[in-house]
Amino acid sequence: MAFEYDIFLSYTEKDNERLPGHDTGWVDNFKKFLDTLISQLLQHHPKILTSQDTAAQGINPYEKACVVIYLVSPEYIVSGEFIKEAEYLRLLMNSPMQMRIDGKLRMFKASKSFVEPEKYHPLLREMVSYDLFMYDPFTGLMKEFNAFFGQDAEKTYWMRLVDLAYDIYKVIYYNQPQTTGSDNKHKADTMPDECVYLAETGNELLIQKNIIRRELERHGYHVLPDKMLSLDAPDTAERIKADLDKCKLSIHLMGESFIDEDYDQREEVRLMKLQNHIAVEYSNSKKNSTPFRRLIWIPQDMNFVDDKQQLLMEAFVSSTESMNGAEVLKIPIEEFKSLIKRELASIKDEKGHSYIIPDADLSSNSGKNIYVIVDAIDLNKCQPVVNHLKQNGFDVLLPMFEGDIMEIRSRHRNNLNACDSCLIFSDQVSEQWLKSKVLDILKAPGFGRKKNMIGKAIYLTTDKPIDLEYYKKYNFSIIRANAGNFEKDIIHPFLKQITV
């Protein structure tokens, strides 16, 4: 489609009153910054038309501009500017083919300040919002940016403005006439029809979420949901399921707000929990059909206010129902980004199976394959156990302790698929680590395991208390060494149990 302008910016003059200490208003600054960012991508300045430019001209701005930006605020949604332009948008929405360019919506919603979802005009409610304000954890209020430079602005305002500029650029770029040859081929190659579900998160992890979204989109993945979700809408659950059905991977970022009761009534936290709940149900329904994976990221430096919060997070991680088909990762965000790309590449190349098929040379029909799950910190203490198993004719599988994180995960999954029995060794590791390995064993069928596990045991070298009922519930034998020394007699009952 041919347009006279690249961008139409809709706003109310009340949002552009001169700021204290500035010669210009909030909207003037937004327009200047957006022009700078998009010009770097387009290699020329975008032509921008505003609602104030068209106020007296009586023209339809949606016929004039490739992209429409609604700069929303409590003042804007009741302004004459929006009421007038909403009629044009209503007419446009009756012509769906005119709403998108190359499958991408031409309309964007950038929020200058917080607007309660129920107050949005229905035409704006479903649009994904680029929030150019921040949540202040000290006051519990939403903070509008009037100072555009500084640590807070860099983390929130500029991060989201860059996202907005990049997404606008893609629409403008795909509307440009494409020449034949290499440029056209590059366009097709960089935009495959692949979807990834990126769930809602708390305000404390919005930066990380935006980093992941931008990385996925940069590699050509379509990130869902691509419309605003509201808990008040009767079809929200169905829309989440429909989006998940288009994806082979969902990504969930869990921070303090997920387990802090003070945040329980916040819209984004309730939505985050609903999305996770539905993803669990969806994953359970896909056990024997198309592969579906969930990655859950928890910050390494997450601070718990009290023991209760820590217990809540541990209970979530330890829940077999919540973790079915999921992998919990506490790694740096850069490593997590790389892992996502490798996971998606694996799913794409091998239709979801390349990383869950056990190595052929590890499979056994003798009942003599035992996977000893041990952390590197406990490896030396575990060596006598490994030696004894080998002396008794067992083929011992061990984790990989060095190398690429994807290779380590792949070895762990292959071992879980191939072994006949499992023994978890615990000396210095935490019980949280111990429970995470129990969950991996319980989830092994989701990784591709086809046969039943003959035996499962936990070998403890200390007398520190553990949640015995939890492990017995899943039929784990408990082996406890005396004074930390290895004794053949205490492991023999388990070996007798698993010997075919």
Side-chain angles (χ1 to χ4, degrees):
M1 291 182 278
F3 297 101
E4 185 178 346
Y5 294 89
D6 294 306
I7 297 169
F8 174 70
L9 178 60
S10 179
Y11 68 95
T12 177
E13 263 305 312
K14 289 184 179 179
D15 287 331
N16 199 33
E17 295 174 354
R18 194 170 70 174
L19 296 170
H22 293 261
D23 294 329
T24 54
W26 197 98
V27 179
D28 289 332
N29 282 280
F30 169 83
K31 182 182 174 184
K32 179 180 68 175
F33 299 148
L34 187 68
D35 176 276
T36 300
L37 291 169
I38 294 180
S39 65
Q40 292 173 0
L41 296 165
L42 288 174
Q43 302 301 307
H44 64 79
H45 288 280
K47 295 180 68 176
I48 301 176
L49 181 69
T50 75
S51 53
Q52 306 308 310
D53 298 331
T54 65
Q57 297 180 28
I59 62 173
N60 184 344
Y62 307 103
E63 295 177 352
K64 290 281 186 178
C66 176
V67 166
V68 178
I69 305 173
Y70 297 97
L71 199 52
V72 301
S73 68
E75 291 75 22
Y76 174 77
I77 60 173
V78 295
S79 68
E81 288 89 347
F82 177 68
I83 292 171
K84 179 186 67 175
E85 289 152 14
E87 178 59 22
Y88 291 116
L89 180 57
R90 186 186 65 79
L91 294 173
L92 182 68
M93 295 182 80
N94 290 331
S95 304
M97 295 296 293
Q98 301 296 314
M99 291 175 59
R100 295 176 181 269
I101 292 176
D102 200 53
K104 298 171 181 60
L105 274 176
R106 296 170 52 199
M107 289 79 77
F108 294 87
K109 179 173 65 181
S111 299
K112 172 179 178 281
S113 49
F114 177 71
V115 178
E116 295 176 359
E118 62 271 15
K119 293 183 179 179
Y120 270 121
H121 188 287
L123 299 176
L124 289 178
R125 192 173 295 142
E126 290 192 354
M127 292 184 192
V128 172
S129 180
Y130 297 78
D131 294 337
L132 302 175
F133 55 86
M134 68 172 287
Y135 172 74
D136 188 337
F138 298 104
T139 64
L141 301 174
M142 298 299 177
K143 177 183 175 183
E144 187 175 300
F145 283 104
N146 291 328
F148 301 103
F149 300 96
Q151 189 174 8
D152 286 342
E154 183 178 337
K155 287 182 177 180
T156 304
Y157 179 88
W158 283 99
M159 180 76 72
R160 296 170 195 173
L161 188 59
V162 168
D163 287 341
L164 176 63
Y166 183 73
D167 290 343
I168 289 171
Y169 157 73
K170 286 191 294 184
V171 177
I172 296 173
Y173 171 76
Y174 282 101
N175 186 59
Q176 294 173 345
Q178 300 296 314
T179 58
T180 57
S182 59
D183 286 345
N184 212 25
K185 181 177 184 300
H186 175 72
K187 175 180 173 180
D189 287 348
T190 55
M191 292 300 295
D193 186 20
E194 297 283 346
C195 297
V196 178
Y197 197 90
L198 180 58
E200 187 61 76
T201 190
N203 284 307
E204 77 278 10
L205 294 182
L206 278 177
I207 292 174
Q208 290 85 344
K209 179 186 175 184
N210 286 336
I211 288 171
I212 291 170
R213 173 185 290 277
R214 211 163 47 245
E215 190 76 6
L216 287 168
E217 291 177 338
R218 189 168 67 85
H219 285 82
Y221 291 97
H222 184 55
V223 179
L224 297 174
D226 56 3
K227 292 183 178 179
M228 184 68 73
L229 295 172
S230 172
L231 288 168
D232 297 328
D235 63 341
T236 295
E238 290 304 316
R239 288 171 58 185
I240 294 172
K241 291 175 186 175
D243 281 345
L244 288 172
D245 205 40
K246 300 171 187 174
C247 305
K248 292 181 181 177
L249 177 71
S250 69
I251 300 169
H252 306 259
L253 310 183
M254 307 292 195
E256 287 93 339
S257 59
F258 184 73
I259 41 88
D260 192 332
E261 293 178 347
D262 291 341
Y263 292 87
D264 274 352
Q265 297 308 310
R266 293 187 61 81
E267 176 90 0
E268 71 274 9
V269 175
R270 293 169 60 206
L271 184 57
M272 169 174 56
K273 292 182 177 181
L274 176 64
Q275 288 171 318
N276 181 66
H277 175 73
I278 293 175
V280 171
E281 292 181 340
Y282 183 81
S283 180
N284 287 336
S285 72
K286 305 293 282 185
K287 281 182 180 178
N288 299 314
S289 55
T290 308
F292 180 78
R293 294 279 173 254
R294 290 188 299 133
L295 296 179
I296 298 174
W297 183 75
I298 299 174
Q300 285 182 304
D301 57 352
M302 184 168 166
N303 296 316
F304 298 104
V305 174
D306 51 35
D307 291 341
K308 182 179 180 181
Q309 283 193 359
Q310 185 168 357
L311 289 171
L312 284 171
M313 182 59 81
E314 289 179 359
F316 169 74
V317 172
S318 300
S319 168
T320 53
E321 181 183 350
S322 296
M323 291 300 107
N324 184 60
E327 186 158 5
V328 181
L329 298 143
K330 294 183 179 179
I331 56 178
I333 191 67
E334 289 301 317
E335 285 188 28
F336 187 57
K337 282 166 49 182
S338 298
L339 188 146
I340 291 170
K341 285 186 286 184
R342 295 279 294 275
E343 187 88 355
L344 286 166
S346 180
I347 291 171
K348 183 179 177 183
D349 291 343
E350 300 297 335
K351 298 181 180 179
H353 295 294
S354 66
Y355 56 91
I356 62 176
I357 297 176
D359 295 338
D361 60 344
L362 294 180
S363 299
S364 167
N365 294 317
S366 67
K368 286 285 191 175
N369 265 359
I370 184 166
Y371 181 22
V372 177
I373 303 176
V374 57
D375 190 80
I377 196 173
D378 288 345
L379 186 57
N380 289 337
K381 198 70 175 283
C382 182
Q383 199 59 51
V385 176
V386 172
N387 293 340
H388 183 70
L389 292 171
K390 290 180 177 179
Q391 290 166 7
N392 280 270
F394 287 92
D395 296 322
V396 178
L397 309 178
L398 288 169
M400 181 184 290
F401 299 106
E402 296 180 355
D404 180 89
I405 187 169
M406 288 294 289
E407 293 174 348
I408 292 172
R409 290 170 69 243
S410 179
R411 169 68 70 83
H412 179 54
R413 288 180 173 183
N414 284 340
N415 286 348
L416 286 171
N417 291 340
C419 70
D420 300 304
S421 302
C422 275
L423 177 73
I424 306 175
F425 186 89
S426 171
D427 181 54
Q428 297 183 55
V429 292
S430 67
E431 186 166 15
Q432 186 176 358
W433 179 91
L434 192 59
K435 286 186 175 181
S436 71
K437 301 310 169 187
V438 167
L439 278 174
D440 286 348
I441 294 171
L442 297 176
K443 291 187 296 181
F447 297 150
R449 183 178 176 84
K450 303 300 182 184
K451 55 187 178 182
N452 292 328
M453 193 83 68
I454 298 173
K456 308 185 291 284
I458 297 171
Y459 188 104
L460 304 166
T461 64
T462 68
D463 58 359
K464 61 184 177 184
I466 61 170
D467 187 357
L468 288 173
E469 292 302 317
Y470 175 83
Y471 304 111
K472 289 181 179 179
K473 178 172 66 174
Y474 298 113
N475 299 314
F476 278 81
S477 302
I478 305 298
I479 304 169
R480 198 181 286 273
N482 297 319
N485 297 318
F486 174 68
E487 298 176 4
K488 299 176 182 180
D489 292 343
I490 64 170
I491 200 172
H492 277 175
F494 176 66
L495 299 187
K496 186 176 179 180
Q497 171 195 339
I498 63 176
T499 299
V500 176

